[in-house]
């Protein structure tokens, strides 16, 4: 099987799935009550945006160390989103079905970031 050449960060599955997650999160928090606008809603927005942004930044870096550093930051932001989704669900701000969908998407993104980091560590020509 022939590998497709990654030419842009948009070719990365990790970025594609992180983007899908952040769209879902941004759509969901838009319906949060106003008293959560500057707290949980804002933090969820920032963290979900940070995932894709750090994948992009890592993609643009030249050294393995820098790439892994930014992919690690993306993974940290993802874990933050996972925690905040649980909190939002427990506070009944997100209904069970939507929570399950976003939680499953976050697990997919986590696996893809881990795979991306592993491929960088194992590669010879970075």
């Amino acid at each position: 099987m022939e590998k497709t050449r990654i030419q842009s960060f948009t070719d990365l599955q990790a970025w594609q799935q992180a983007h899908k997650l952040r769209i879902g999160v941004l759509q969901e928090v838009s319906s949060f009550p106003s008293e959560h606008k500057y707290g949980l809603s804002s933090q969820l927005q920032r963290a979900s945006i940070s995932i894709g942004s750090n994948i992009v930044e890592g993609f643009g870096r030249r050294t393995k160390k820098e790439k892994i550093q930014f992919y690690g930051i993306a993974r940290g932001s993802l874990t933050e989103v996972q925690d905040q989704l649980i909190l939002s669900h427990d506070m009944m701000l997100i209904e069970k079905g939507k929570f399950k969908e976003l939680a499953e998407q976050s697990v997919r993104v986590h696996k893809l970031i881990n795979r991306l980091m592993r491929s960088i560590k194992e590669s010879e020509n970075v």
Side-chain angles (χ1 to χ4, degrees):
M1 177 158 53
E2 185 179 319
K3 278 189 171 182
T4 44
R5 178 115 168 99
I6 304 293
Q7 296 182 7
S8 168
F9 67 85
T10 59
D11 295 330
L12 295 171
Q13 284 186 14
W15 180 85
Q16 293 168 5
Q17 294 303 311
H19 185 65
K20 182 177 178 182
L21 175 63
R22 77 176 145 192
I23 295 294
V25 167
L26 293 173
Q27 289 173 339
E28 197 60 29
V29 299
S30 70
S31 65
F32 279 17
S34 60
E35 64 265 22
H36 296 287
K37 183 177 181 185
Y38 298 107
L40 186 55
S41 173
S42 178
Q43 190 59 32
L44 253 169
Q45 289 174 2
R46 285 193 303 274
S48 67
I49 290 168
S50 177
I51 300 164
S53 297
N54 278 290
I55 291 171
V56 170
E57 185 135 9
F59 180 83
R61 296 299 174 137
R62 296 179 69 72
T63 69
K64 281 185 181 186
K65 183 178 178 182
E66 288 179 309
K67 288 178 180 296
I68 289 169
Q69 176 186 359
F70 281 99
Y71 296 150
I73 293 168
R75 189 172 56 189
S77 293
L78 174 63
T79 305
E80 187 178 345
V81 166
Q82 290 171 323
D83 174 64
Q84 292 164 1
L85 287 171
I86 292 168
L87 178 59
S88 298
H89 176 259
D90 291 350
M91 293 178 64
M92 294 182 261
L93 298 170
I94 298 177
E95 69 94 21
K96 187 175 184 174
K98 189 62 176 180
F99 167 75
K100 186 175 188 290
E101 177 186 320
L102 291 171
E104 289 171 356
Q105 181 66 17
S106 75
V107 170
R108 280 190 289 278
V109 174
H110 198 272
K111 289 176 181 178
L112 288 166
I113 292 173
N114 283 341
R115 192 178 309 152
L116 184 59
M117 291 174 76
R118 190 169 43 253
S119 74
I120 296 299
K121 288 176 184 176
E122 294 170 354
S123 71
E124 303 268 336
N125 302 331
V126 177

